[in-house]
Amino acid sequence: MIEEYQRHQLLPGRKLDNFAKAFVCHVDKMVSWQQVQVHVSSSTPVVSASVDISLMDWTTDVFLHATTETYWGRSIWGLAPNLIESFQKWEQTTWKYIFQVPRILSKDMYDARDELIAAFTAYFGQAKTTRADANYFVTTSEQELRDIAFNDNDVGKAHMLQYWA
Protein backbone atom coordinates (compact mmCIF):
# COMPACT_ATOMS: atom_id res chain seq x y z
CA MET A 1 0.00 0.00 0.00
CA ILE A 2 2.92 2.35 0.69
CA GLU A 3 3.77 2.32 -3.00
CA GLU A 4 0.22 3.51 -3.72
CA TYR A 5 0.61 6.43 -1.29
CA GLN A 6 3.73 7.49 -3.17
CA ARG A 7 1.74 7.38 -6.42
CA HIS A 8 -1.07 9.41 -4.86
CA GLN A 9 1.49 11.97 -3.70
CA LEU A 10 2.86 12.36 -7.22
CA LEU A 11 -0.33 12.18 -9.29
CA PRO A 12 -1.37 15.47 -10.92
CA GLY A 13 -3.56 17.44 -8.56
CA ARG A 14 -3.48 19.25 -5.23
CA LYS A 15 -1.02 16.87 -3.52
CA LEU A 16 1.50 17.14 -6.34
CA ASP A 17 1.00 20.92 -6.55
CA ASN A 18 1.74 21.26 -2.82
CA PHE A 19 4.72 18.93 -3.17
CA ALA A 20 6.12 20.89 -6.14
CA LYS A 21 5.66 24.26 -4.41
CA ALA A 22 7.41 23.03 -1.29
CA PHE A 23 10.22 21.42 -3.30
CA VAL A 24 10.83 24.58 -5.36
CA CYS A 25 10.78 26.68 -2.19
CA HIS A 26 13.44 24.45 -0.61
CA VAL A 27 15.57 24.48 -3.75
CA ASP A 28 15.29 28.27 -3.91
CA LYS A 29 16.47 28.50 -0.31
CA MET A 30 19.38 26.12 -0.97
CA VAL A 31 20.68 28.05 -3.99
CA SER A 32 21.01 31.32 -2.09
CA TRP A 33 24.51 32.77 -1.88
CA GLN A 34 24.67 32.13 1.88
CA GLN A 35 23.95 28.42 1.32
CA VAL A 36 26.41 28.17 -1.59
CA GLN A 37 29.16 29.50 0.67
CA VAL A 38 28.49 26.64 3.10
CA HIS A 39 29.90 24.26 0.48
CA VAL A 40 33.20 26.07 0.16
CA SER A 41 36.04 24.33 1.98
CA SER A 42 38.15 26.40 4.32
CA SER A 43 41.13 25.90 2.02
CA THR A 44 39.36 27.54 -0.93
CA PRO A 45 39.91 31.28 -1.10
CA VAL A 46 36.61 33.16 -1.16
CA VAL A 47 36.44 36.10 -3.51
CA SER A 48 33.38 38.22 -2.76
CA ALA A 49 31.81 37.67 -6.18
CA SER A 50 32.59 34.00 -6.82
CA VAL A 51 33.66 30.67 -5.36
CA ASP A 52 34.72 27.31 -6.77
CA ILE A 53 32.69 24.31 -5.62
CA SER A 54 32.02 20.82 -6.92
CA LEU A 55 28.90 21.02 -9.04
CA MET A 56 28.19 17.34 -8.37
CA ASP A 57 28.45 17.74 -4.59
CA TRP A 58 26.42 20.93 -4.58
CA THR A 59 23.57 19.67 -6.76
CA THR A 60 23.43 16.41 -4.80
CA ASP A 61 23.22 18.37 -1.55
CA VAL A 62 20.56 20.73 -2.90
CA PHE A 63 18.45 17.86 -4.22
CA LEU A 64 18.75 15.76 -1.05
CA HIS A 65 17.99 18.68 1.30
CA ALA A 66 15.01 19.78 -0.77
CA THR A 67 13.64 16.25 -1.06
CA THR A 68 14.13 15.52 2.64
CA GLU A 69 12.41 18.71 3.78
CA THR A 70 9.61 18.33 1.26
CA TYR A 71 8.81 14.85 2.55
CA TRP A 72 9.67 14.85 6.26
CA GLY A 73 9.79 18.55 7.10
CA ARG A 74 12.33 20.52 9.12
CA SER A 75 12.22 18.64 12.40
CA ILE A 76 14.35 15.80 11.04
CA TRP A 77 17.41 18.10 10.91
CA GLY A 78 17.26 18.64 14.68
CA LEU A 79 17.42 14.89 15.20
CA ALA A 80 19.89 14.08 12.43
CA PRO A 81 21.95 17.07 11.31
CA ASN A 82 24.27 14.69 9.41
CA LEU A 83 21.47 12.87 7.60
CA ILE A 84 22.79 13.83 4.15
CA GLU A 85 26.29 12.57 4.94
CA SER A 86 24.87 9.31 6.30
CA PHE A 87 22.77 8.90 3.17
CA GLN A 88 25.75 9.54 0.91
CA LYS A 89 27.80 6.95 2.82
CA TRP A 90 24.93 4.49 2.48
CA GLU A 91 24.51 5.24 -1.22
CA GLN A 92 28.22 4.68 -1.90
CA THR A 93 28.26 1.34 -0.09
CA THR A 94 24.87 -0.18 -1.01
CA TRP A 95 26.53 -2.49 -3.48
CA LYS A 96 27.61 -4.43 -0.38
CA TYR A 97 23.97 -4.72 0.67
CA ILE A 98 22.87 -5.81 -2.79
CA PHE A 99 25.62 -8.44 -3.05
CA GLN A 100 25.13 -9.52 0.59
CA VAL A 101 28.73 -8.93 1.59
CA PRO A 102 29.20 -10.25 5.16
CA ARG A 103 28.89 -7.75 8.00
CA ILE A 104 32.56 -8.14 8.95
CA LEU A 105 33.51 -6.71 5.53
CA SER A 106 30.71 -4.15 5.42
CA LYS A 107 31.03 -2.12 8.60
CA ASP A 108 30.82 1.19 6.73
CA MET A 109 27.60 0.16 4.99
CA TYR A 110 25.98 -1.13 8.18
CA ASP A 111 27.04 1.97 10.12
CA ALA A 112 25.48 4.24 7.50
CA ARG A 113 22.31 2.15 7.38
CA ASP A 114 22.04 2.17 11.17
CA GLU A 115 22.52 5.96 11.29
CA LEU A 116 19.67 6.41 8.80
CA ILE A 117 17.39 4.01 10.67
CA ALA A 118 18.18 5.77 13.97
CA ALA A 119 17.34 9.13 12.42
CA PHE A 120 13.98 7.98 11.09
CA THR A 121 13.19 6.06 14.28
CA ALA A 122 13.82 9.21 16.32
CA TYR A 123 11.76 11.22 13.84
CA PHE A 124 8.75 8.92 14.20
CA GLY A 125 9.24 8.87 17.96
CA GLN A 126 8.42 12.58 18.09
CA ALA A 127 4.93 13.87 18.64
CA LYS A 128 3.04 14.35 15.37
CA THR A 129 2.61 18.04 16.21
CA THR A 130 6.40 18.42 16.11
CA ARG A 131 6.49 17.09 12.57
CA ALA A 132 3.28 18.61 11.25
CA ASP A 133 5.08 19.84 8.10
CA ALA A 134 5.52 16.27 6.79
CA ASN A 135 3.75 15.65 3.50
CA TYR A 136 0.84 13.40 2.59
CA PHE A 137 2.98 10.36 1.77
CA VAL A 138 4.79 10.43 5.12
CA THR A 139 1.72 10.93 7.28
CA THR A 140 -0.46 8.44 5.40
CA SER A 141 2.14 5.70 5.15
CA GLU A 142 2.98 6.12 8.83
CA GLN A 143 -0.68 5.70 9.76
CA GLU A 144 -0.93 2.58 7.60
CA LEU A 145 2.12 1.10 9.32
CA ARG A 146 0.83 2.03 12.78
CA ASP A 147 -2.48 0.37 11.96
CA ILE A 148 -0.65 -2.95 11.57
CA ALA A 149 1.23 -2.44 14.86
CA PHE A 150 4.59 -1.17 13.57
CA ASN A 151 6.59 0.55 16.31
CA ASP A 152 8.83 3.62 15.83
CA ASN A 153 11.80 1.47 14.81
CA ASP A 154 9.77 -0.48 12.24
CA VAL A 155 8.34 2.71 10.76
CA GLY A 156 11.85 4.20 10.74
CA LYS A 157 13.18 1.20 8.81
CA ALA A 158 10.37 1.41 6.26
CA HIS A 159 10.99 5.11 5.71
CA MET A 160 14.73 4.61 5.50
CA LEU A 161 14.07 2.34 2.53
CA GLN A 162 11.70 4.93 1.03
CA TYR A 163 14.38 7.57 1.48
CA TRP A 164 16.84 5.37 -0.37
CA ALA A 165 14.34 4.73 -3.17
Side-chain angles (χ1 to χ4, degrees):
M1 207 51 204
I2 289 178
E3 185 179 323
E4 281 302 310
Y5 297 138
Q6 187 69 278
R7 285 191 182 119
H8 284 271
Q9 177 70 65
L10 301 175
L11 281 174
R14 185 180 53 81
K15 290 179 187 85
L16 179 59
D17 292 344
N18 291 342
F19 180 89
K21 284 178 190 172
F23 186 82
V24 169
C25 179
H26 294 306
V27 168
D28 190 46
K29 179 180 74 173
M30 291 297 298
V31 298
S32 71
W33 179 245
Q34 292 79 17
Q35 287 296 319
V36 171
Q37 288 180 318
V38 169
H39 295 278
V40 178
S41 72
S42 58
S43 63
T44 304
V46 177
V47 179
S48 61
S50 66
V51 293
D52 290 331
I53 60 172
S54 164
L55 184 59
M56 178 68 150
D57 291 346
W58 180 67
T59 55
T60 299
D61 197 55
V62 168
F63 182 77
L64 288 174
H65 269 90
T67 302
T68 302
E69 276 197 41
T70 301
Y71 275 95
W72 290 275
R74 289 191 177 129
S75 67
I76 199 159
W77 301 124
L79 301 167
N82 297 322
L83 186 68
I84 301 298
E85 291 81 8
S86 296
F87 178 78
Q88 288 174 323
K89 273 195 299 186
W90 165 254
E91 186 68 16
Q92 292 166 357
T93 58
T94 53
W95 65 271
K96 295 176 184 181
Y97 178 77
I98 294 166
F99 290 105
Q100 300 178 356
V101 175
R103 183 179 278 272
I104 194 164
L105 302 172
S106 305
K107 184 177 178 350
D108 53 350
M109 183 270 296
Y110 280 100
D111 288 349
R113 183 200 65 177
D114 293 346
E115 288 169 14
L116 291 170
I117 291 170
F120 286 107
T121 299
Y123 175 83
F124 288 105
Q126 298 180 103
K128 287 185 180 183
T129 54
T130 307
R131 47 191 172 87
D133 56 347
N135 75 7
Y136 165 83
F137 167 75
V138 172
T139 58
T140 307
S141 62
E142 177 191 8
Q143 189 56 54
E144 178 82 11
L145 295 171
R146 300 283 187 196
D147 288 347
I148 57 173
F150 273 38
N151 61 29
D152 293 342
N153 190 50
D154 295 333
V155 176
K157 287 177 181 179
H159 276 263
M160 176 273 188
L161 290 174
Q162 288 298 313
Y163 192 55
W164 180 32

